[in-house]
């Protein structure tokens, strides 16, 4: 029979089988490491390779599709060479070439959804919710970025105030976080010289421990152990009592 005949006779089959098997085996790098040594026929070997190839293709398609879906706009131009729209189109091509099924409508949705959801972006993004042309959406976003950045000598009215307010809110949040995270006394530079205290954050004049200027005058927030009545407190009470006429 002919060499390319898929139905060889019974005598030719073993010869062709060995040739096909060796051809496949010799073109695989480290076949034993891939667990191919148990495959007895060329059909078994080819079936195994086909399954493995399909698995790799699915993983590759998933990675490329995730790269498109996870892409986010962080700044710069939208249209033109090297623009963000070009990047999205490139990721879209990679995903579809790998077997992903993404319609034009889905591409536009992914494109619009990749922009920030901050207050200044909401008006333009809401206006693109029903847009069906990718180029139109990209051009409108490019014009918005140009106006927002003051490309024609002036930005969007009120945009600077919004940005300044957002910056101020962010700074306040950071300050609050620092204050909440800070532990220890409010005045770490002060050192109490009272031998019964020796703590930081106050001086001996304001110390409410035994021997301090405010001995026994514990604040309402104090949860620790309280000293017994001291001589200073006793003397003060005695002096007050002696001053009362009998």
């Amino acid at each position: 029979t002919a060499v390319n005949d898929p139905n060889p006779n019974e005598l030719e089959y073993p010869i062709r089988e060995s040739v096909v098997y060796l051809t496949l085996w010799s073109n695989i790098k480290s076949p034993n490491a891939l667990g191919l040594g148990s495959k007895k026929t060329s059909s078994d070997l080819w079936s195994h390779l086909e399954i493995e190839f399909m698995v790799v293709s699915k993983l590759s398609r998933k990675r490329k599709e995730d790269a498109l879906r996870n892409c986010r706009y962080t700044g710069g131009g939208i249209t033109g060479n090297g623009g963000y729209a070009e990047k999205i189109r490139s990721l879209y091509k990679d995903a579809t070439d790998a077997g992903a099924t993404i319609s034009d409508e889905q591409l536009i949705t992914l494109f619009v959804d990749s922009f920030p959801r901050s207050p200044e972006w909401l008006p333009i993004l809401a206006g693109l919710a029903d847009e069906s042309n990718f180029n139109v959406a990209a051009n409108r976003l490019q014009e918005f970025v140009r106006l927002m950045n003051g490309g024609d000598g002036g930005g969007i009215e009120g945009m600077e105030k919004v940005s300044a307010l957002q910056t101020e809110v962010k700074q306040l949040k950071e300050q609050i976080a620092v204050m909440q995270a800070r532990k220890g006394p409010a005045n770490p530079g002060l050192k109490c010289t009272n031998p019964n205290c020796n703590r930081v954050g106050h001086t001996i004049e304001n110390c409410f421990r035994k021997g301090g200027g405010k001995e026994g005058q514990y604040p309402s927030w104090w949860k620790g152990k309280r000293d017994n009545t001291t001589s200073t407190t006793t003397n003060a009470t005695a002096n007050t009592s002696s001053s009362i006429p009998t």
Side-chain angles (χ1 to χ4, degrees):
T1 57
V3 176
N4 59 349
D5 191 334
N7 299 307
N9 60 45
E10 188 174 349
L11 296 177
E12 293 175 329
Y13 180 82
I15 300 175
R16 291 195 179 188
E17 166 63 20
S18 61
V19 172
V20 173
Y21 190 92
L22 289 175
T23 301
L24 292 173
W25 186 271
S26 61
N27 283 279
I28 301 173
K29 185 177 180 179
S30 302
N32 288 321
L34 297 176
L36 301 178
S38 60
K39 309 306 174 185
K40 303 301 182 182
T41 66
S42 60
S43 178
D44 294 339
L45 184 58
W46 180 256
S47 297
H48 181 81
L49 293 174
E50 191 174 31
I51 294 173
E52 289 294 320
F53 178 78
M54 292 299 295
V55 171
V56 173
S57 296
K58 290 179 180 179
L59 291 175
S60 177
R61 181 186 64 193
K62 182 67 168 57
R63 292 193 187 99
K64 294 182 183 299
E65 189 173 352
D66 288 344
L68 172 62
R69 295 183 181 278
N70 295 330
C71 186
R72 293 292 180 267
Y73 175 77
T74 57
I78 307 297
T79 59
N81 293 332
Y84 182 66
E86 183 178 292
K87 178 181 179 181
I88 287 290
R89 286 187 180 278
S90 177
L91 292 173
Y92 170 73
K93 183 178 184 303
D94 291 342
T96 53
D97 288 347
T101 303
I102 302 174
S103 65
D104 292 341
E105 292 182 356
Q106 289 176 320
L107 174 61
I108 296 174
T109 300
L110 292 173
F111 177 58
V112 174
D113 194 49
S114 67
F115 285 84
R117 299 181 181 180
S118 51
E120 63 267 26
W121 284 91
L122 290 180
I124 182 65
L125 296 180
L128 295 174
D130 297 326
E131 182 57 57
S132 59
N133 188 298
F134 183 90
N135 290 331
V136 171
N139 287 328
R140 290 181 61 183
L141 286 166
Q142 173 62 39
E143 183 65 13
F144 176 79
V145 170
R146 186 182 69 83
L147 293 174
M148 186 168 60
N149 294 335
D152 57 350
I156 298 176
E157 183 179 358
M159 191 61 64
E160 294 182 356
K161 294 182 179 180
V162 173
S163 299
L165 181 60
Q166 289 178 338
T167 302
E168 185 177 353
V169 170
K170 182 179 179 181
Q171 292 175 348
L172 289 174
K173 288 182 178 180
E174 292 176 352
Q175 292 176 3
I176 292 174
V178 171
M179 293 175 63
Q180 291 177 342
R182 186 178 63 183
K183 297 181 179 180
N187 301 299
L190 300 179
K191 171 73 174 178
C192 181
T193 56
N194 183 358
N196 295 315
C197 179
N198 290 324
R199 299 192 179 190
V200 296
H202 64 275
T203 60
I204 189 172
E205 290 79 10
N206 294 318
C207 184
F208 50 78
R209 286 182 171 274
K210 182 178 180 180
K214 295 183 178 181
E215 181 179 341
Q217 301 177 30
Y218 291 92
S220 59
W221 51 264
W222 179 255
K223 303 296 183 181
K225 182 180 179 181
R226 301 192 177 209
D227 298 328
N228 295 328
T229 304
T230 62
S231 58
T232 303
T233 306
T234 304
N235 292 337
T237 304
N239 292 335
T240 304
S241 300
S242 62
S243 63
I244 300 176
T246 56

